[in-house]
Amino acid sequence: MDVSTNKPATAAVKSYEPAKNEKKTGSQEVVSEAVADKRPTDKLEISEEAQEKKETESVAENKVGNGFADFDMDAFQGSIRAQLMQSIHEAKNALREAGVGFAEYNEDSILYNLSELEKNGEVKAADIPEYWNAENTSQRIVDFAMSFRGLAPELSDEEYINQVRAAVEEGYRLAKKDLGDLPGPSAKLFNDTYNLTMSKFDDLIAKAQKGTA
């Protein structure tokens, strides 16, 4: 017998299909359903904590490929928001029982309007750890943004700084939306941190224009 003409067993198994009008016995239906229940799903569910960690780590894992086109801006902005919101939450927790006046959320501006609270003397310094104050938080945000400079060799220093500055600015806008109304001291911390962050970027842009960045 010429065995070369025989189909492999796997091909033979795959070629078998029951007739469309062939009825299954009760036992066959039970077996079929049991097999179907064990089929792997095409989705992998992970916890929110794992997803947040994955999104944050994706920024660091994004190495040089197509230059700045490979930069994960969403993950970058998410990390900026996380750092900023942790700072603000530290202040809110310290003032939770203080009964101070709140600055209302207004989407028309990144900054909180503190004029009324300042007029009534309701804006006091928030007692928070030094690590989370406006100066240190703003510096960490700028340092984090500049740490990705190597991903954009096709951009000049000034172009890169302008792009990440705009991304950080949008991060502040989104963070404010998430935070909503804030106690006066927390709102002041937000404003001070934003102003210092933008000032540090402005200084970097000025240095880049002079070729000293």
Side-chain angles (χ1 to χ4, degrees), residues 114-162:
L114 299 174
S115 57
E116 288 300 318
L117 295 178
E118 289 173 337
K119 186 187 300 183
N120 298 329
E122 295 180 328
V123 179
K124 302 174 183 179
D127 185 15
I128 60 172
E130 184 179 356
Y131 182 84
W132 298 111
N133 66 23
E135 172 61 33
N136 290 332
T137 299
S138 63
Q139 189 62 56
R140 285 196 303 276
I141 288 173
V142 172
D143 290 344
F144 178 74
M146 296 305 296
S147 70
F148 296 96
R149 177 65 182 97
L151 290 176
E154 74 280 11
L155 299 180
S156 67
D157 287 339
E158 184 177 356
E159 289 172 335
Y160 174 81
I161 296 168
N162 276 321

Side-chain angles (χ1 to χ4, degrees), residues 59-71:
V59 178
E61 293 172 354
N62 218 344
K63 304 302 181 183
V64 177
N66 295 320
F68 209 54
D70 284 342
F71 189 75

Side-chain angles (χ1 to χ4, degrees), residues 35-47:
V35 172
D37 289 342
K38 294 182 180 179
R39 291 174 183 168
T41 60
D42 58 356
K43 293 182 179 180
L44 178 62
E45 296 184 0
I46 59 177
S47 66

